[in-house]
Amino acid sequence: MTTLTTAPLAPLLERLFEEVATLSPRTSAAIADLSSEERTRLMRSKTEYIDLYARLKDLPLPVSRETGTLLYMLARNSGARTVVEFGTSFGISTLYLAAALRDNGGGRLVTTEFEPSKVARARENLKAGGLDDLVEIRVGDALQTLAADLPDTIDLLLLDGAKALYPEILSLVESRLRPGALIVADNADHSPDYLARVRSTAAGYLSTPFAEDVELSMRLG
Ligand SMILES: C[S@@+](CC[C@H](N)C(=O)[O-])C[C@H]1O[C@@H](n2cnc3c(N)ncnc32)[C@H](O)[C@@H]1O
């Protein structure tokens, strides 16, 4: 039996994804006044991400169930003990990753989110899932919150905040990534600079697109 597939986490994730489905029309409504060009521009902006996510502050915007399962499997299979996450939101991806840490025998997950109301929701969900003891949520912009006090070595990094900042966040944690560390970047298509970097063995990575919209990369030793 695993933490992921048993109570309290399994029914909690079921309930959270049901809620995500009911909120889906509100997600579309929150950005309905933006043209698709404007949406793309905002997704790729290194300065206007705060405005974009303020519009979306009541919405969970989680990874898909499939990506969640992938995160659990990657963290569990690699025996991860230290995980860093950029973009907590309601903590759905955090629950998958923390479940893997629990099943690996424990560990530390540092995650970060700048919307305080989302942090409150994430804390509630982690408590309900019985995983809050493994997770440190840093409240604020990841450019500051991940700039210091990181674990000495990082086994797995999830990038799921403002897409345009993926290269900057990678630079903040890069020196801590252990050889073989895995990096999962959701919706990385919106960050061409990031993709160019992790697809370069000269830059120290192996990388491949994986499933829909996910880039899976590995730090070379
Ligand atoms: C796609 S959602 C994350 C979903 C979450 N990983 C999950 O699967 O449940 C992106 C989140 O990142 C947050 N965010 C975006 N840019 C950020 C930044 N620079 N620092 C901290 N949080 C940020 C947004 O407020 C939003 O809640």
Side-chain angles (χ1 to χ4, degrees):
M1 298 307 273
T2 74
T3 302
L4 183 65
T5 53
T6 52
L9 185 55
L12 172 64
L13 284 170
E14 207 48 52
R15 177 171 70 68
L16 291 172
F17 276 111
E18 277 166 21
E19 184 191 18
V20 169
T22 64
L23 288 172
S24 169
R26 281 181 53 197
T27 308
S28 311
I31 51 172
D33 59 320
L34 301 174
S35 66
S36 73
E37 292 77 26
E38 184 64 357
R39 273 178 224 174
T40 304
R41 192 187 66 74
L42 286 176
M43 290 284 279
R44 294 185 177 200
S45 167
K46 287 190 195 284
T47 53
E48 291 174 83
Y49 58 88
I50 295 180
D51 301 338
L52 175 65
Y53 285 102
R55 280 175 176 254
L56 300 166
K57 74 178 173 45
D58 298 323
L59 300 162
L61 315 169
V63 294
S64 65
R65 284 175 196 259
E66 293 76 15
T67 301
T69 303
L70 175 70
L71 288 171
Y72 175 85
M73 291 194 295
L74 291 173
R76 180 81 176 98
N77 178 263
S78 61
R81 292 298 188 124
T82 48
V83 174
V84 171
E85 175 182 58
F86 167 42
T88 320
S89 195
F90 289 15
I92 293 182
S93 51
T94 323
L95 288 166
Y96 282 95
L97 289 165
L101 290 184
R102 176 75 78 222
D103 293 341
N104 287 344
R108 179 178 178 207
L109 195 166
V110 174
T111 182
T112 188
E113 169 61 55
F114 55 29
E115 287 296 341
S117 61
K118 288 190 153 186
V119 172
R121 295 288 293 263
R123 285 197 207 287
E124 255 174 50
N125 290 334
L126 287 161
K127 194 157 195 298
L131 295 165
D132 51 325
D133 58 310
L134 298 170
V135 180
E136 176 193 346
I137 306 182
R138 297 186 180 176
V139 189
D141 194 309
L143 291 173
Q144 278 89 49
T145 60
L146 297 183
D149 299 325
L150 291 173
D152 290 342
T153 59
I154 296 168
D155 298 314
L156 191 148
L157 170 67
L158 172 62
L159 297 174
D160 197 22
K163 313 306 160 197
L165 300 184
Y166 285 6
E168 284 78 3
I169 302 300
L170 181 61
S171 294
L172 288 178
V173 306
E174 189 167 64
S175 65
R176 308 294 175 106
L177 292 171
R178 70 159 167 83
L182 296 171
I183 308 162
V184 177
D186 206 30
N187 309 116
D189 287 359
H190 288 293
S191 188
D193 296 357
Y194 173 80
L195 289 180
R197 178 157 158 197
V198 292
R199 289 177 184 172
S200 157
T201 50
Y205 296 95
L206 275 186
S207 195
T208 183
F210 196 94
E212 198 185 339
D213 270 357
V214 174
E215 182 79 7
L216 175 61
S217 313
M218 195 190 82
R219 182 73 171 147
L220 295 171

